[in-house]
Amino acid sequence: MGDSRPLHIYEMENLSGTPHIMVGIQPDDLFRQRNAVMDLARFFAQSWNNDQRPSSADTTILLADFQFKFDLLARGLPSRFAPNINRIRKELPSLFAALPFVLSHGDLNMTNVLINPKTGNITGIIDWAESRILPFGFALYGLENVLGWMDSEGWHYYDYHRELENLFWKTFQGEAKNVSNADMHLIRAAKMAGIFCQYGFALDTKGVVQNVRTERDGSLAYLNAFGIISEWTPNLPTYDAL
């Protein structure tokens, strides 16, 4: 009251769908799992096809920021994560030099992925408040979330998670332009980097890093599930089961 400045009102379209986490897709519901995986692959392919590379100076600053973050992770996380952290640290310059830069979702969990509850098809992705322009692949940690579920006992993959993962990559490569084998190696490295950035740090409400997570933090359950694997390359596709 008493302020002469104009009041701006913004209107946006209401997205249909239900948060993925609320639909309760069962482990044997291959039909809806498959639709969600293929739509997520198309979402990432569209991202790949729209490079938004920043200036060389901004890229250098961004790379230095992530090198600092992985130095923190190397010092702060338990030693079982060290092999993959060290691999990522070596790959970081290549990720920032060779991959396209895209709008990367900062919180691609299953609360923010809306789906058609009957078919599993993705109808929208919401909550972009923490998004940043980053090398492609840093948001691919979200793929794991459509391949299984977390409960009090830890992470559980769907029975057909390997086939679903291969279906994701087949769909992605079918719609993304000019993806080479060298690109795929870097994409998988970026995916692992994103997993550590997403689950290795405690963040404040604005997405700013506060500290490295400890053994007492429940989010390490995700790193235990995704961050220790030694082989980042999926098995060769076998689609007959799908």
Side-chain angles (χ1 to χ4, degrees), residues 42-232:
R42 295 183 183 108
F43 164 78
F44 277 104
Q46 185 178 32
S47 176
W48 171 273
N49 293 335
N50 289 275
D51 192 353
Q52 303 182 51
R53 178 170 290 276
S55 68
S56 176
D58 288 342
T59 301
T60 299
I61 293 171
L62 197 57
L63 171 59
D65 177 46
F66 275 83
Q67 288 172 325
F68 174 72
K69 287 179 178 177
F70 274 89
D71 287 344
L72 292 178
L73 291 171
R75 293 195 299 268
L77 285 176
S79 60
R80 62 183 177 275
F81 301 113
N84 277 344
I85 291 174
N86 290 334
R87 287 176 67 185
I88 295 167
R89 292 165 84 188
K90 293 177 181 178
E91 294 275 13
L92 280 175
S94 296
L95 302 185
F96 281 77
L99 289 174
F101 276 68
V102 301
L103 184 63
S104 183
H105 198 292
D107 193 16
L108 194 57
N109 63 58
M110 293 301 95
T111 302
N112 293 328
V113 176
L114 305 181
I115 65 172
N116 181 317
K118 293 183 178 180
T119 67
N121 289 105
I122 294 176
T123 60
I125 294 177
I126 60 174
D127 193 3
W128 291 82
E130 298 171 13
S131 61
R132 302 178 66 184
I133 300 295
L134 294 175
F136 179 86
F138 274 73
L140 275 168
Y141 64 86
L143 170 59
E144 301 302 318
N145 290 323
V146 295
L147 300 178
W149 75 98
M150 177 71 77
D151 62 18
S152 60
E153 297 180 356
W155 182 258
H156 307 272
Y157 279 109
Y158 295 139
D159 292 342
Y160 285 105
H161 76 275
R162 289 295 185 192
E163 290 84 353
L164 289 166
E165 183 180 12
N166 288 329
L167 178 62
F168 174 91
W169 292 115
K170 179 184 179 183
T171 305
F172 170 77
Q173 290 181 289
E175 302 208 10
K177 299 175 182 177
N178 303 318
V179 182
S180 67
N181 289 336
D183 290 331
M184 288 302 298
H185 170 80
L186 293 177
I187 288 169
R188 289 165 185 140
K191 176 175 179 277
M192 184 61 72
I195 286 171
F196 275 97
C197 289
Q198 181 69 14
Y199 301 118
F201 290 111
L203 309 177
D204 65 15
T205 56
K206 296 181 179 179
V208 177
V209 170
Q210 296 298 295
N211 54 265
V212 176
R213 296 190 185 277
T214 67
E215 291 284 14
R216 297 188 300 273
D217 196 311
S219 288
L220 276 194
Y222 289 94
L223 276 188
N224 288 331
F226 311 141
I228 302 178
I229 60 172
S230 60
E231 180 53 64
W232 299 350

